[in-house]
Amino acid sequence: GLANDVNDHMPDYVVTRIAEMLNDAALPLRGSTVLLVGLAYKPNSGDSRQAPSRRVVELLLERGAVVRAADPHVRAAEVPEGVELVDLDAGSLRAAQVAVLLTDHDALDLTLLEEPATPVLDTRGVLTGPSVVRL
């Protein structure tokens, strides 16, 4: 069905959009830090096994990005290799060249993403703010 098709192609599209946002800021994807907000498949769950975030991570790492992730529900053991688990806070946002909201957990303070410090790609359509780009 269409939903599966979108899910299957979503990671590629997300990474394309991340690269475009960095390009707009005159930055290459290689060497840039991308903060993924939420790795789990659905909000308020810790299950990341089949999540599209895994493919997003693979593609970003293949292209040389530094990948960090903030997800209070996913255990460190389940975080994909090559990804550093961080807290979602002003510091982790400032340290990233772009942030990507993948899963909108209630436990995450999403208002942090609406501050203009770092461009944010919103794949959930839930954020507003001067630095937010909808997918």
Side-chain angles (χ1 to χ4, degrees), residues 1-79:
L2 181 63
N4 277 345
D5 207 47
V6 169
N7 280 343
D8 290 344
H9 293 110
M10 198 273 285
D12 300 88
Y13 183 57
V14 167
V15 172
T16 299
R17 292 297 302 274
I18 292 167
E20 284 170 359
M21 287 171 72
L22 288 166
N23 195 49
D24 287 347
L27 294 167
L29 183 54
R30 180 171 299 283
S32 287
T33 298
V34 180
L35 175 63
L36 301 178
V37 180
L39 289 173
Y41 196 61
K42 50 183 189 286
N44 308 320
S45 123
D47 189 358
S48 66
R49 285 168 303 193
Q50 300 300 316
S53 63
R54 291 205 164 267
R55 182 74 186 131
V56 172
V57 166
E58 268 173 35
L59 292 166
L60 287 171
L61 291 174
E62 273 171 21
R63 294 180 63 175
V66 176
V67 184
R68 296 193 174 129
D71 191 315
H73 294 286
V74 171
R75 294 197 309 276
E78 288 179 14
V79 173

Side-chain angles (χ1 to χ4, degrees), residues 90-108:
S92 63
L93 272 171
R94 265 199 309 273
Q97 275 71 59
V98 63
V100 186
L101 177 61
L102 293 175
T103 316
D104 44 330
H105 294 303
D106 292 338
L108 291 166

